Amino acid sequence: MTAIITGAASGIGLAAARDLLAQGWTVYGVDRSERRLAETAATFATSEFHPCLCDLQDADAIIATIAEIAEKAPKINALIASAGLARLGPLATMKVDTFDAIFGVNVRGMWLCCREAYPLLQQATAAGEIARVIILSSVSAIRPKIDSGAYAASKAAVSQLTQVMAVEWAADGILVNALAPGTVDTPMVRSATQNPETQGNWRPSGASPLGRIAQPEDVVRVMRFLLSEDAAYVTGVVIPVDGGTRAAYVPPR
């Protein structure tokens, strides 16, 4: 089994890569940080992890990177689109470059990775193998917050694209689903919460009704289900993985 994982050197993408490698998968890990990719490869210490340097804001780089992967792996069984960009700030004062960067990574970059990986996924189903796409949306797409309007809008777009892609690709036997995590203990979330200058009025959701925030492994466990034969009739859904955070509002005491 072979997978492409974007954002593979950090957070949920890193946890997904670790999990698939432990199951014997070959993983092409895409990330924009050369340093983190090198550290990740050294940590895994396996020839089944292939680091791929690529900035998802660069359309040409995405096309070239997937083409390079295709030369080595003409068919893949999974694309896990985990890379994301969060920038905070009120919409009234947000810079155009910041807005464009958020949508460039979270929406255009994600879609382009899916588009370029599509022929490789088709090859897997033609060979009688599974072909799955798992995209990282966010609970922000369901319950947005102030000062993260652009991020929430980008994730809402991700959820919509997931559903349409699932139906368009159903005839090929490719299953496309999204996960919508709540607050997860990742470097991206920690960076947002530890910088008062950029945090503004935004606050993380904090502990879920289950009494804690999520760990990346909580999200990966649901990925594991979507990659299994048990999910053979599941496509076009956006699954919240938030410990009940969005289910009902809990007012502060």
Side-chain angles (χ1 to χ4, degrees), residues 60-203:
D60 291 337
I62 294 173
I63 294 170
T65 297
I66 303 296
E68 291 174 6
I69 293 173
E71 292 179 0
K72 303 172 185 176
K75 67 176 187 294
I76 64 168
N77 303 99
L79 168 65
I80 298 176
S82 178
L85 181 67
R87 294 287 184 269
L88 303 175
L91 292 170
T93 58
M94 179 169 283
K95 295 180 179 179
V96 172
D97 289 349
T98 302
F99 189 94
D100 286 348
I102 293 168
F103 272 79
V105 172
N106 296 353
V107 184
R108 188 186 69 174
M110 178 279 297
W111 157 73
L112 197 49
C113 286
C114 293
R115 191 192 78 175
E116 296 304 298
Y118 175 59
L120 309 184
L121 293 160
Q122 284 181 307
Q123 290 299 316
T125 58
E129 301 176 10
I130 67 165
R132 312 284 167 89
V133 178
I134 301 174
I135 302 170
L136 265 293
S137 183
S138 169
V139 74
S140 296
I142 305 168
R143 192 197 65 181
K145 298 177 184 176
I146 58 171
D147 281 5
S148 65
Y151 176 78
S154 75
K155 291 302 186 178
V158 165
S159 295
Q160 296 295 339
L161 289 171
T162 296
Q163 295 174 91
V164 175
M165 205 181 305
V167 176
E168 291 182 350
W169 294 6
D172 295 295
I174 301 169
L175 307 185
V176 185
N177 295 289
L179 302 179
T183 301
V184 183
D185 183 17
T186 65
M188 185 175 74
V189 171
R190 289 195 294 271
S191 175
T193 57
Q194 293 170 3
N195 191 340
E197 293 182 3
T198 60
Q199 185 175 357
N201 293 311
W202 180 86
R203 296 292 182 275

Side-chain angles (χ1 to χ4, degrees), residues 11-19 82 134 136 178-186 206-208 210-226 239-245:
I12 295 170
L14 175 60
R18 182 182 297 113
D19 188 69
S82 178
I134 301 174
L136 265 293
L179 302 179
T183 301
V184 183
D185 183 17
T186 65
S208 72
L210 292 181
R212 63 180 178 87
I213 68 171
Q215 296 299 313
E217 290 72 21
D218 291 309
V219 182
V220 169
R221 290 186 185 102
V222 186
M223 285 185 188
R224 198 180 298 158
F225 162 70
L226 291 176
I239 304 174
V241 188
D242 66 349
T245 298

